Amino acid sequence: MSQRQPSRSEGGDQKQKLQGEAIKYGDVFNVTGDLADQPIAPKDAALMQSAENLVLGQTQKGGPAAVMQSAATINERAGAVGRDQYSSSPGDEGVSVTETDLPGRRVITEYVAGHIVGQYVTPTPVTMRKPAGALEGSAVTIGEALEAAALSVGGKPVDQSDAAAIQAAEIRATGHNLTIPGGIAATAQAAADANTRVMPDDLKTKIADVLSDATAKLPADKGATKEDAERVVGAEIRNKPDLATTPGGVAASVTAAARFNQERQ
């Protein structure tokens, strides 16, 4: 979805900018040409927020719109840009967010003045046919989806994206917003932290070590729904540098379970 305006005109590194010096597109995005030297202005950020909302239904945490808003706020406070200002290239050429559906996944690409400023891959969203409460008792549960991930990518060392996804899955399965001491989320986080200090992969804690028998380790469980899948996907991609889910991983498995549950209704 394109956003166009005829008018012209992340954290710590951004805060180190000198008073009056603007944060430019080239400072926070891998862009070149004229755009790289232009300051990120408030109206640019507003355009991208609108485009994300129109296509994705919300502004993505840590996505291009959020980065642009942070930079624009700093630039405005420094007096480098005005509140109602657009930078020249975004003002003339606009911004856009596109989605490309591929088998089992969706590619989201975000542009400013024709330059890619963000791209990430998510599992194909689940289409709701009935409300979550209408799932049958035989629905595939979140715990079973986690066990499926243990089978498909069990040999993968646990990293922060896995730990975040597992935490989101535990919260959705149990209804508790706090990490359960000794639960799978706490175990996954401890494993992710420890794995950063262990060099050989064969000595690292693996997905299977955490998620085997997940249904027995969860104090409560429920059928996987579209909302569950969205939360788990969001948690996983926010903690991966490439903003992509792991094929067969936690987010992909919960999404597959939610889709299966809906298709059989």
Side-chain angles (χ1 to χ4, degrees):
M1 181 71 186
S2 266
Q3 297 291 307
R4 190 174 298 276
Q5 168 63 35
S7 300
R8 293 185 65 87
S9 46
E10 178 156 322
D13 291 341
Q14 293 175 350
K15 294 179 181 177
Q16 293 173 5
K17 289 288 182 178
L18 298 176
Q19 181 76 11
E21 181 184 353
I23 299 170
K24 302 177 178 64
Y25 280 94
D27 295 328
V28 293
F29 298 119
N30 185 24
V31 296
T32 58
D34 291 342
L35 181 64
D37 295 324
Q38 294 175 18
I40 300 177
K43 289 295 187 179
D44 304 348
L47 286 177
M48 184 58 83
Q49 286 180 326
S50 177
E52 284 191 0
N53 284 328
L54 285 171
V55 176
L56 306 176
Q58 61 185 350
T59 299
Q60 300 299 293
K61 292 183 179 180
V67 171
M68 289 170 66
Q69 183 59 60
S70 176
T73 298
I74 294 171
N75 285 345
E76 183 183 348
R77 288 175 179 170
V81 295
R83 177 176 299 180
D84 297 321
Q85 181 179 339
Y86 294 90
S87 288
S88 58
S89 293
D92 287 342
E93 301 176 55
V95 307
S96 63
V97 177
T98 65
E99 55 182 343
T100 303
D101 289 321
L102 300 172
R105 63 193 190 278
R106 178 178 66 161
V107 180
I108 307 297
T109 308
E110 304 194 35
Y111 301 86
V112 173
H115 294 259
I116 294 177
V117 295
Q119 187 173 67
Y120 45 97
V121 181
T122 67
T124 302
V126 180
T127 301
M128 290 291 289
R129 289 182 173 83
K130 291 187 178 182
L135 293 180
E136 297 177 354
S138 59
V140 178
T141 69
I142 293 173
E144 290 169 336
L146 296 178
E147 290 180 352
L151 291 174
S152 60
V153 294
K156 177 184 181 297
V158 180
D159 61 22
Q160 186 55 46
S161 68
D162 302 317
I166 291 168
Q167 181 185 45
E170 181 184 87
I171 289 172
R172 297 296 296 183
T174 64
H176 297 297
N177 289 325
L178 298 177
T179 299
I180 299 170
I184 57 173
T187 302
Q189 186 59 64
D193 292 340
N195 283 348
T196 63
R197 300 188 293 272
V198 177
M199 294 307 295
D201 278 358
D202 59 348
L203 296 180
K204 294 183 178 182
T205 303
K206 310 298 195 303
I207 293 287
D209 298 326
V210 177
L211 295 182
S212 294
D213 299 322
T215 53
K217 295 173 183 176
L218 286 168
D221 204 357
K222 63 185 284 292
T225 67
K226 175 178 182 290
E227 290 81 5
D228 301 328
E230 289 174 345
R231 293 294 183 88
V232 177
V233 168
E236 186 167 304
I237 65 174
R238 283 196 300 272
N239 289 275
K240 289 194 70 177
D242 61 359
L243 296 174
T245 57
T246 298
V250 175
S253 295
V254 174
T255 299
R259 184 177 300 112
F260 176 81
N261 288 342
Q262 286 302 316
E263 287 176 350
R264 64 191 300 221
Q265 297 302 305

